[in-house]
Amino acid sequence: MHATLSETRQREKLDVTIHSTAAEASISLAREIASLIRNRAAEGKRLVLGLATGSTPVPVYRELIRMHREEGLSFANVFTFNLDEYYGIAREHPESYWSFMHQQLFNHIDLPAEQLHIPNGTLPRAEVFAACHAYEERIAELGGLDLQVLGIGRTGHIGFNEPGSGRNSRTRLVTLDALTRRDAERDFPGEDKVPRHAITMGVGTIMQARRIVMLAWGEAKARVVAQAVEGEPRESLPASFLQHHPNVTVMLDSAAAAELTRIKLPWLVGPVEWTPPMAHRAVTWLAANVQRPLLKLLDEHYAEHGMADLLTAQGPAYQLNIQHFNDVQHTITGWPGGKAGADDTHRPEKATPYPKRVLVIAPEPSDEMLGMGGTLTRLVEQGHILTVAYLTSGSLAVPDEEAEMAAELINAYAKERGAGIAGDVATAPQTGIAACGAATDAPAAASATAQAAATATATGPATSASTSADTRRLKAVIRRGEARQALRCAGVSPAAARFLDLPFYERGRYRQFFPGEDDVAALSQLIGEVAPHQIFSTGAGQEPNSVGGICHALLMAALRRARTAGTLPQGARLWLYRTPDKAWQPHEINMAVPLSPAQLARRTRAIYQHKSQLSQTPPPQSTLCEAWQVAEASSRNIAVTYDALGLAEYEAIEAFQRVDVAGE
Ligand code: GLP
């Protein structure tokens, strides 16, 4: 017996469509928009579109551009209104929503310039109120919004309507939430550069649109989406007000849908097919839910939580308990590369070959340390041959202040030695700078660094770091130094490091990356050279346009290619390590590597070497903000979860999920 669709959606108060990928969902929205435009054009009428910024709508815009170029879709009869704009930055600023919309859409279509509207973030304070009013008037004058496209922020905001925004709020000046500003930190290197205010359409303005489509991709949005869809409408989560609108569709990819009850706990909303993974998921959830170790679950616990049919088919409780306890037990290993000579029937990784060639992939430097620093140490201690590949340089995540500081140091050192800058920096590796990680690898890079240093000090601080290639180069050098130092700290030779500097990252900026064939080629070459028996990587559920999401897609493409070309050893396994965005549930873990207190402390020291990644502002008391704190807390949490299930009590655990790539 299967659950009906309406039965499984009983908790959803908004119309939700789940697509397997963001690309597929985006194409379906772009088609809807295109047919609205064409229908209106055929009637000689205009279409008024409400548009959004952020990474989320980018694939929709790319599809609209493609339709314009290849299918003759014209925007001549379209009027657009953007939701919001930062207040206090010029239109020309690379991070203004004005720039964003032009780069991502307007520059590539035939929308007449006088038909697009974006709130003006440069008006004097005294003129803002009137301008907001005029914005609303203009929407009304054109007949109101036909379709509003929305993303959702991690605070549950729509537009910039932060928690606390009223159901009837109108276009106005608002103060940005601390979490929203943190999320924008990467765009404006350095939190103090992130604008504090913005102008946004109100919730009431958005609600007047005739139709609303809200989009969300990636695991980081899953929780807030579920709250907006299944929770009560409330000011603390403005997206939940959409429940009051008669024509809303929420389009999700599978990662963003993961916290909806029908996906997460399907047995609570209807009958399910009790496959082994489904049973494992339900039993481990049940133990956590009734707060009992697995071996102490009773028949009535099963019966009272939508699992009576599981009990009948596979029970009694005693039988189910022991089976799923053993399944969790078998995920635990101190031998992440497999234990040579041991029976591996119930071990997560195979005993042979030994030693293994292990390829560890870090989308950005520090990802590997945050997700699996303790495991790296073990793999080396157990004799495996490690390559740690840093796919991107990570330069975009370095605040300008760090680069200025490095530039000053290099110049001061050059002056001290009384020599020419370039020559001096070029010799730095032999003279001691290398030891503290500020120097370069090769003379060519060294002279680029010197140039960056010279530019930074001659012209003063860069207004936007990412606009200067030299500054980005210097920032990349900083991150390489930190990555090597962190590896040393974890007991891994820095010679294991490979820096790929993938082109999509070097030519892009956050939310605006275009991965290409050159990226896949670079990764395929790496896989061919290393010929790994075991691969560790991350980013599977991340937003598809994020660095982690792009790197995961590139890796999968390169692995498919390697498998076809025969450059991937038979039986090679891919293990995913976690990102801090998502806490894995026990059923999602296929390998759990315990860390002792000393091993955890060592990993934290290693993470700490990524000093350019520490917050620029001290975090508010009792808030876990720094990456090393978050990583420590999440590894401890997994240990607590295992302990609560009745497994051994460890200090911390690093968790891994197995993904099938080799077609075993
Ligand atoms: C900003 C924008 C929102 C957007 C949100 C999410 O706050 N003002 O309109 O929905 O970011 O951004 P992203 O799509 O990059 O996750």
Side-chain angles (χ1 to χ4, degrees):
M1 190 176 36
H2 287 284
T4 64
L5 206 57
S6 57
E7 191 178 14
T8 61
R9 290 182 180 179
Q10 61 195 258
R11 301 203 183 184
E12 295 170 19
K13 300 174 193 156
L14 284 166
D15 176 47
V16 177
T17 58
I18 305 173
H19 298 259
S20 52
T21 62
E24 188 193 296
S26 302
I27 290 173
S28 99
L29 176 57
R31 283 197 186 134
E32 178 178 341
I33 295 174
S35 78
L36 282 175
I37 296 175
R38 287 187 176 120
N39 291 346
R40 287 294 170 85
E43 295 168 10
K45 292 187 185 154
R46 67 171 81 97
L47 183 81
V48 185
L49 273 182
L51 299 178
T53 49
S55 338
T56 310
V58 166
V60 180
Y61 299 155
R62 288 184 187 167
E63 177 63 8
L64 288 173
I65 295 169
R66 190 199 64 74
M67 288 171 149
H68 170 67
R69 287 189 182 145
E70 295 173 17
E71 296 168 13
L73 176 67
S74 169
F75 292 77
N77 66 326
V78 177
F79 287 71
T80 67
F81 286 87
N82 263 82
L83 281 169
D84 47 12
E85 176 61 284
Y86 289 115
Y87 181 68
I89 61 173
R91 281 180 168 178
E92 299 70 38
H93 190 291
E95 290 304 333
S96 76
Y97 286 171
W98 175 275
S99 299
F100 183 93
M101 286 309 298
H102 281 79
Q103 279 160 17
Q104 296 301 317
L105 183 64
F106 299 150
N107 289 347
H108 313 284
I109 57 176
D110 63 341
L111 178 77
E114 62 284 4
Q115 291 176 201
L116 69 91
H117 305 80
I118 299 180
N120 184 347
T122 59
L123 291 175
R125 181 71 186 81
E127 291 171 30
V128 171
F129 183 78
C132 290
H133 186 66
Y135 202 71
E136 301 248 345
E137 297 266 277
R138 181 83 180 123
I139 297 176
E141 228 173 77
L142 291 168
L145 298 165
D146 290 303
L147 173 76
Q148 175 67 55
V149 178
L150 289 181
I152 179 170
R154 278 204 296 156
T155 59
H157 68 230
I158 46 177
F160 268 133
N161 292 285
E162 298 285 17
S165 298
R167 151 92 174 73
N168 298 314
S169 51
R170 312 303 310 183
T171 303
R172 68 204 186 286
L173 185 69
V174 291
T175 303
L176 301 180
D177 193 273
L179 183 59
T180 302
R181 294 189 71 229
R182 270 195 88 83
D183 283 349
E185 218 176 285
R186 290 190 137 198
D187 305 329
F188 290 87
E191 203 209 353
D192 55 346
K193 297 196 183 64
V194 181
R196 292 182 181 277
H197 303 281
I199 296 176
T200 182
M201 277 187 202
V203 177
T205 325
I206 294 168
M207 294 286 282
Q208 276 178 345
R210 279 181 275 282
R211 171 157 166 72
I212 299 175
V213 178
M214 187 174 89
L215 310 170
W217 328 129
E219 61 197 16
K221 299 279 172 75
R223 185 177 293 267
V224 79
V225 164
Q227 288 167 349
V229 171
E230 297 187 0
E232 290 307 310
R234 55 193 188 276
E235 282 192 0
S236 58
L237 211 148
S240 63
F241 284 131
L242 297 176
Q243 293 175 21
H244 294 304
H245 192 284
N247 188 2
V248 179
T249 299
V250 178
M251 285 189 176
L252 306 174
D253 68 356
S254 48
E259 293 283 326
L260 294 175
T261 306
R262 68 165 137 147
I263 305 293
K264 193 180 180 193
L265 310 166
W267 53 90
L268 293 186
V269 287
V272 296
E273 195 187 332
W274 289 111
T275 58
M278 184 65 87
H280 192 58
R281 180 173 171 170
V283 176
T284 49
W285 168 82
L286 181 63
N289 193 260
V290 302
Q291 300 183 348
R292 282 189 160 233
L294 284 165
L295 296 176
K296 289 191 181 175
L297 290 173
L298 304 175
D299 282 10
E300 48 262 47
H301 292 129
Y302 284 88
E304 286 160 12
H305 291 84
M307 294 156 69
D309 49 347
L310 175 66
L311 199 61
T312 319
Q314 300 176 26
Y318 165 79
Q319 179 70 30
L320 281 159
N321 295 351
I322 191 98
Q323 181 193 334
H324 292 282
F325 176 88
N326 284 339
D327 285 350
V328 180
Q329 178 68 51
H330 292 151
T331 63
I332 303 175
T333 182
W335 302 83
K339 188 171 186 182
D343 173 7
D344 58 13
T345 325
H346 293 300
R347 290 177 175 277
E349 186 49 280
K350 287 174 295 186
T352 54
Y354 178 84
K356 286 191 173 61
R357 286 188 300 270
V358 181
L359 175 60
V360 176
I361 305 263
E364 287 181 74
S366 84
D367 286 343
E368 82 296 1
M369 226 25 103
L370 292 164
M372 56 174 293
T375 303
L376 282 177
T377 307
R378 275 186 188 257
L379 287 165
V380 170
E381 285 172 357
Q382 291 168 3
H384 299 289
I385 305 146
L386 237 66
T387 302
V388 183
Y390 298 95
L391 299 197
T392 69
S393 68
S395 60
L396 290 171
V398 179
D400 286 355
E401 291 79 2
E402 289 288 328
E404 283 155 19
M405 167 81 156
E408 260 177 50
L409 284 176
I410 295 169
N411 279 337
Y413 179 75
K415 211 164 151 197
E416 191 97 340
R417 303 236 2 234
I421 293 173
D424 215 64
V425 175
T427 58
Q430 290 92 50
T431 55
I433 285 187
C436 50
T440 54
D441 308 296
S447 75
T449 309
Q451 255 172 39
T455 318
T457 45
T459 59
T463 42
S464 168
S466 32
T467 53
S468 150
D470 276 345
T471 311
R472 274 186 74 164
R473 194 85 190 253
L474 177 56
K475 290 178 172 186
V477 169
I478 293 172
R479 297 216 68 182
R480 286 186 179 201
E482 290 173 345
R484 288 201 191 89
Q485 192 58 25
L487 287 178
R488 268 187 213 106
C489 236
V492 183
S493 161
R498 291 278 303 268
F499 297 95
L500 265 68
D501 292 350
L502 285 185
F504 85 84
Y505 186 91
E506 295 308 308
R507 62 178 173 239
R509 34 192 308 120
Y510 286 118
R511 303 176 213 268
Q512 307 186 33
F513 294 119
F514 286 89
E517 168 54 33
D518 43 0
D519 297 303
V520 185
L523 255 174
S524 303
Q525 192 183 336
L526 174 80
I527 293 166
E529 279 169 30
V530 177
H533 303 112
Q534 197 184 27
I535 302 163
F536 289 90
S537 189
T538 192
Q542 281 181 280
E543 196 269 313
N545 202 29
S546 66
V547 175
I550 292 172
C551 286
H552 178 71
L554 290 171
L555 175 66
M556 296 313 280
L559 284 173
R560 276 193 297 275
R561 203 173 280 187
R563 204 172 54 191
T564 317
T567 50
L568 191 66
Q570 204 59 34
R573 283 185 177 176
L574 170 61
W575 293 94
L576 296 179
Y577 57 90
R578 297 173 13 145
T579 60
D581 277 345
K582 188 170 185 270
W584 284 352
Q585 302 306 312
H587 74 273
E588 295 172 292
I589 298 172
N590 305 116
M591 176 157 71
V593 180
L595 304 187
S596 70
Q599 287 167 329
L600 181 64
R602 181 178 190 175
R603 189 190 78 178
T604 300
R605 270 201 309 281
I607 296 171
Y608 206 79
Q609 302 311 309
H610 292 274
K611 295 192 179 75
S612 69
Q613 300 304 292
L614 292 169
S615 295
Q616 295 296 293
T617 41
Q621 283 231 322
S622 81
T623 315
L624 292 185
C625 282
E626 301 294 351
W628 63 268
Q629 291 175 314
V630 177
E632 207 171 273
S634 60
S635 300
R636 283 186 202 278
N637 281 344
I638 305 174
V640 170
T641 308
Y642 267 53
D643 181 28
L645 290 175
L647 282 300
E649 184 180 350
Y650 296 103
E651 179 75 5
I653 288 177
E654 286 179 348
F656 302 89
Q657 222 171 66
R658 194 176 144 195
V659 178
D660 190 23
V661 276
E664 300 167 38

